[in-house]
Amino acid sequence: MYPPSYISMLEKRNTIPLVRSFPQADEPRLILLTSELESLAVALKDPNAKLPGRPLSRHFASLAQKMHFMDTNGIDISVISLANPWFDFLDPAEAAGIADSVNQEFSDMCTKHVGRLFFFAALPLSAPVEAIKASIQNVKNLSHCRGIILGTSGLGKGLDDPDLLPIFQAVANANLLVFLHPHYGLPNEVYGPRGQEYGHVLPLALGFPMETTIAVARMYMAGVFDEVRNLQMLLAHSGGTLPFLAGRIESCIVHDGHLVKQGSVPKNRRTIWTVLKEQIYLDAVIYSEVGLQAAIASSGADRLMFGTDHPFFPPIEEDDQGPWDSSSLNAQAVAKAVGDGSNEAAAILGLNAVHVLNLKAE
């Protein structure tokens, strides 16, 4: 979700992320991707031009709408969070204060629906390290907080940055799970000169999953999971392409002469398969049983958790007050992958999250 205070902040910005209103649109638009900047400049001058970004509907900021979505789609409990890009873009001097305020807003939302809502907090990663650690302690003491949502930039240099290790350790010591979600995608040029003709399909369907895959592979190669053995991570979109490509990553590691000669590939090392089964959980936002079966094979049905990506991927032509395909398709994928009504389905659709995230109200 984007609380009203967060949207107001984006409306005042001149660089992405930003929110802009257009006279030809009923709702303001959220511009997150650099690929949208060119069409933004055109739309501000031409009222007939295609609008950039996506509409900020009531689903993004209204708590009542969130509860309606849950009720309509048969969801008893949700773990909500601030959506990307979180606080990555904030000035270091103001980041901690804004983060504490927004995290408190999420805690207050949960207080209004005790037992039905929990949340992942967001950290002020542009702030000094000690301020980030203080924020971790603050959210640990918020009774409805169950983890930290994190993007792939970390402190600005990626998740394999050695300077991020104390943050990972502090989060792990606070018994908070890290929910990793992409935001930056891949450089626009990888989609080719006609990439913009295909809407958001290439950045969202390919760029986001590959961003997650690359970020976690870098963490593994840098030894982050060995350095912080109590770190637990939940990867968005069923781990990007990690379940499918883990075998190829392993093969490239053991066949890399440079790594082998420098002693980076000892025989007793933990493989990426081991890390997937010991320190990584996957959400089930993959929209097909084929992708879900790969996720199950890599991490296990006891490490998958159902998700919806709400409020993204809303119905286009249907009434958005009814069930959403982005929710039902993921539920159908679970049923097809492990059997409708099976113990594994019950685990993926809720019991895993209840157990792992302690989704129980006092």
Side-chain angles (χ1 to χ4, degrees):
M1 296 181 68
Y2 295 114
S5 63
Y6 189 87
I7 294 176
S8 177
M9 178 171 60
L10 295 185
E11 288 175 334
K12 299 172 185 175
R13 289 179 54 80
N14 294 316
T15 57
I16 57 171
L18 52 83
V19 169
R20 287 292 180 269
S21 295
F22 300 87
Q24 64 270 43
D26 295 330
E27 298 165 322
R29 310 279 295 192
L30 174 67
I31 292 91
L32 289 176
L33 306 175
T34 54
S35 59
E36 299 167 335
L37 289 178
E38 182 177 339
S39 55
L40 171 62
V42 174
L44 290 174
K45 298 176 181 178
D46 181 359
N48 297 315
K50 179 183 177 181
L51 296 178
R54 63 202 68 192
L56 270 180
S57 70
R58 57 191 176 277
H59 289 272
F60 284 83
S62 168
L63 181 59
Q65 192 64 48
K66 174 67 75 174
M67 302 311 298
H68 176 82
F69 170 83
M70 290 170 59
D71 293 339
T72 303
N73 289 273
I75 296 170
D76 301 310
I77 302 172
S78 283
V79 184
I80 60 177
S81 68
L82 183 65
N84 52 306
W86 313 287
F87 306 121
D88 293 3
F89 57 90
L90 292 179
D91 182 274
E94 62 180 8
I98 293 175
D100 288 345
S101 176
V102 173
N103 286 328
Q104 184 61 56
E105 284 186 79
F106 274 93
S107 183
D108 293 342
M109 292 181 202
C110 297
T111 299
K112 294 177 181 178
H113 297 278
V114 174
R116 295 203 68 189
L117 291 181
F118 298 86
F119 79 102
F120 291 136
L123 297 179
L125 293 176
S126 62
V129 170
E130 291 307 314
I132 301 173
K133 289 183 177 180
S135 183
I136 294 170
Q137 292 306 309
N138 287 341
V139 299
K140 177 185 177 182
N141 294 325
L142 296 175
S143 60
H144 307 292
C145 180
R146 291 298 183 268
I148 300 294
I149 186 164
L150 187 69
T152 62
S153 69
L155 302 177
K157 298 180 180 179
L159 303 185
D160 54 351
D161 180 1
D163 290 339
L164 190 60
L165 283 175
I167 305 302
F168 278 137
Q169 191 65 69
V171 170
N173 291 347
N175 198 31
L176 295 170
L177 176 140
V178 172
F179 177 37
L180 181 63
H181 195 286
H183 166 66
Y184 298 94
L186 300 178
N188 292 337
E189 53 267 25
V190 305
Y191 305 119
R194 298 183 60 188
Q196 292 189 30
E197 298 178 29
Y198 312 129
H200 288 108
V201 173
L202 297 180
L204 295 184
L206 305 181
F208 271 21
M210 286 309 303
E211 177 186 344
T212 300
T213 305
I214 293 168
V216 178
R218 286 171 57 182
M219 288 179 68
Y220 173 75
M221 296 297 296
V224 174
F225 294 104
D226 287 330
E227 289 283 342
V228 190
R229 294 293 284 264
N230 56 338
L231 177 66
Q232 297 289 307
M233 299 188 74
L234 168 63
L235 308 185
H237 315 133
S238 294
T241 62
L242 197 59
F244 184 79
L245 293 179
R248 184 170 179 83
I249 293 171
E250 274 295 312
S251 179
C252 288
I253 291 173
V254 299
H255 289 96
D256 190 295
H258 173 72
L259 293 178
V260 172
K261 289 177 182 178
Q262 73 176 14
S264 298
V265 195
K267 292 184 178 180
N268 62 344
R269 71 182 175 88
R270 289 199 305 157
T271 67
I272 197 164
W273 294 113
T274 303
V275 172
L276 278 167
K277 294 182 183 298
E278 292 182 355
Q279 290 182 259
I280 287 177
Y281 297 90
L282 306 174
D283 78 14
V285 183
I286 195 66
Y287 302 104
S288 78
E289 69 273 21
V290 175
L292 197 61
Q293 286 167 343
I296 292 170
S298 66
S299 288
D302 61 332
R303 302 185 75 84
L304 263 70
M305 304 182 206
F306 176 79
T308 66
D309 244 350
H310 180 261
F312 298 100
F313 299 106
I316 294 178
E317 298 179 354
E318 302 173 13
D319 179 7
D320 67 2
Q321 292 300 305
W324 286 29
D325 286 344
S326 53
S327 178
S328 60
L329 286 174
N330 284 316
Q332 292 168 17
V334 173
K336 291 178 181 178
V338 297
D340 192 14
S342 67
N343 290 337
E344 289 84 0
I348 295 170
L349 291 172
L351 295 181
N352 288 341
V354 169
H355 172 68
V356 173
L357 299 174
N358 187 30
L359 302 185
K360 301 171 185 176
E362 294 297 334

